[in-house]
Amino acid sequence: MTAPALEAVRRERLDRAEATARLAELGFGWADLEEEEYWLDEVVAMDADVYERLERAASSLWAIFDRTVRYMHGRRELYALTGIPPILWNMLDGLELPPPGQISRYARFDFAVSLDGGIKLLELNADTPTGYAEAAAATPWLCRMAGLRSPNEAMAERLAAAWSAERPDAVACAAYGSHAEDTGTVDLLARHSGLELRKLDLLDLSVDDGVVLDGDGAPIRRLFALYPKEWMALDDGGEALAYAIETGRLTLFNAPHAILLQSKGLQALVWGLYELGMLYTDPEREAIESYLLPTYTKPLFDGSYVSKSMFGREGGSVKLYGEGGGLELEDKDGFDTSVFFPTVYQRRADLPELELGGSSYRVLTGLFMLGGEPCGLLGRAGGLITGNTSHFVPIGVKAK
């Protein structure tokens, strides 16, 4: 390919006050956070052929991860290997796995897409991914303003189809009504679902004899929550919540088995099975070799690599090691969950560097999976580690 896979679009900047007001109407109301510009008034264009390959990569990896979860289901030694908290094992074994491809109906892959078109998966956020409003509400409008095609236009329809199968009766996040990002995310998910949903603060919920109650004492039977399932092992009410799910008194979305997809230890399991010549077909092995980075539960690398918690989020716990094996960079802003969960070690793949608004950023490419289908690009611009202080930048697709 001659043109770079990703490049900044040259255009005039928008009137920020007008644009942020419009984005808020669409459902993305935190373009500015604490007087800091979270949304960068820039647009990144992806080569159309590269986007098609990215979709194929996501579909192939989704099927591979789904197959791997079904292989590990019920094998407790593999739960331990991938860091699944023991408090969840009975729940995971006692509940039926969702249909193929539907273990998580709301997920996001995070890729390093190099400027020469290389595609490597960094991780899969299969449990409680955020960034939905940025991708589903802001990106299509910003891409139209820049004259780019946005595959994100279909996200609301795909989300509605996925949730029509699950049909939650409530959505929840911690600090609903005061945490702008999480509140806005569940509000937009509820709007796009087309369902009549109660909106709840997780901190108001309680469990009484296996029944989950809202703040008014009304029972909740089917719940979508921005609540990482691994925290059931640490929260005071986690065991009671796990029991409510295990006994069928609460149906949680994404499904409980999404934690098996969420663990970064799953990538180590996939890579180990690949090296042993087990489980996968020849096309699946080709996809693993092409798109996955070698990942292990021990630091077995001679060259540069990354270490991170199996359940790290927003860059927390990530450490980058250089060619000589010495620590080069670590995230000190995010919460380091490696004090609670095991660590994985992955071959390093640095994010591509672009100049945006006169400054240099590393760009992470997210791709949502809704109902098992790739749909929705999410751009994040920051440093070598994409942490909590990174910016949102829309990614669109150039015409062929």
Side-chain angles (χ1 to χ4, degrees), residues 149-166:
R149 176 173 71 88
S150 175
N152 301 25
E153 298 276 4
M155 288 184 72
E157 181 180 348
R158 293 274 183 87
L159 189 281
W163 280 29
S164 69
E166 296 182 332

Side-chain angles (χ1 to χ4, degrees), residues 119-384:
I119 296 171
K120 290 296 182 182
L121 177 68
L122 301 180
E123 60 189 54
L124 170 61
N125 300 282
D127 190 10
T128 58
T130 55
Y132 180 82
E134 292 91 320
T139 294
W141 184 78
L142 292 167
C143 285
R144 286 196 296 272
M145 295 298 101
L148 290 176
R149 176 173 71 88
S150 175
N152 301 25
E153 298 276 4
M155 288 184 72
E157 181 180 348
R158 293 274 183 87
L159 189 281
W163 280 29
S164 69
E166 296 182 332
R167 301 199 68 81
D169 51 47
V171 292
C173 67
Y176 179 82
S178 59
H179 189 285
E181 181 181 358
D182 287 356
T183 299
T185 298
V186 299
D187 281 348
L188 190 64
L189 288 167
R191 185 201 305 183
H192 284 181
S193 75
L195 303 173
E196 292 292 331
L197 299 169
R198 286 184 284 165
K199 300 170 185 176
L200 308 173
D201 186 342
L202 283 170
L203 303 179
D204 292 336
L205 305 188
S206 61
V207 184
D208 182 12
D209 194 26
V211 178
V212 179
L213 307 173
D214 66 17
D216 297 323
I220 304 166
R221 303 299 184 191
R222 304 175 68 79
L223 175 68
F224 173 86
L226 284 182
Y227 175 74
K229 295 173 180 61
E230 68 268 17
W231 288 106
M232 280 188 256
L234 305 173
D235 289 343
D236 289 341
E239 187 172 2
L241 180 60
Y243 177 73
I245 299 167
E246 180 185 343
T247 56
R249 291 175 172 88
L250 176 71
T251 302
L252 193 65
F253 306 115
N254 283 306
H257 299 98
I259 193 174
L260 303 177
L261 287 172
Q262 174 72 28
S263 172
K264 297 174 182 64
L266 182 67
Q267 289 172 253
L269 177 58
V270 171
W271 192 260
L273 292 170
Y274 162 77
E275 288 191 326
L276 291 170
M278 297 174 60
L279 191 63
Y280 307 115
T281 65
D282 287 343
E284 287 172 334
R285 291 181 57 81
E286 291 175 8
I288 291 168
E289 184 175 359
S290 296
Y291 305 124
L292 283 192
L293 294 160
T295 307
Y296 303 97
T297 57
K298 296 180 180 179
L300 303 178
F301 298 100
D302 294 329
S304 59
Y305 66 95
V306 178
S307 71
K308 47 191 172 182
S309 168
M310 290 187 183
F311 291 104
R313 295 168 187 270
E314 295 287 356
S317 82
V318 176
K319 297 179 181 179
L320 304 184
Y321 296 84
E323 286 295 337
L327 179 62
E328 184 176 302
L329 182 67
E330 64 179 305
D331 184 284
K332 294 185 177 180
D333 295 320
F335 179 63
D336 185 359
T337 60
S338 64
V339 297
F340 300 119
F341 305 108
T343 297
V344 293
Y345 304 86
Q346 186 179 73
R347 178 74 70 191
R348 183 166 160 179
D350 286 346
L351 298 171
E353 190 171 10
L354 291 180
E355 184 174 308
L356 302 169
S359 298
S360 179
Y361 292 94
R362 300 284 181 158
V363 176
L364 176 75
T365 300
L367 183 63
F368 276 88
M369 299 292 293
L370 301 178
E373 298 293 334
C375 175
L377 289 167
L378 174 68
R380 296 286 299 279
L384 283 169

Side-chain angles (χ1 to χ4, degrees), residues 18 26 61-62 95 98 199 210 229 238 265 267 330 354 386:
E18 293 181 0
L26 293 169
L61 293 173
W62 191 252
L95 296 175
K199 300 170 185 176
K229 295 173 180 61
Q267 289 172 253
E330 64 179 305
L354 291 180
T386 306

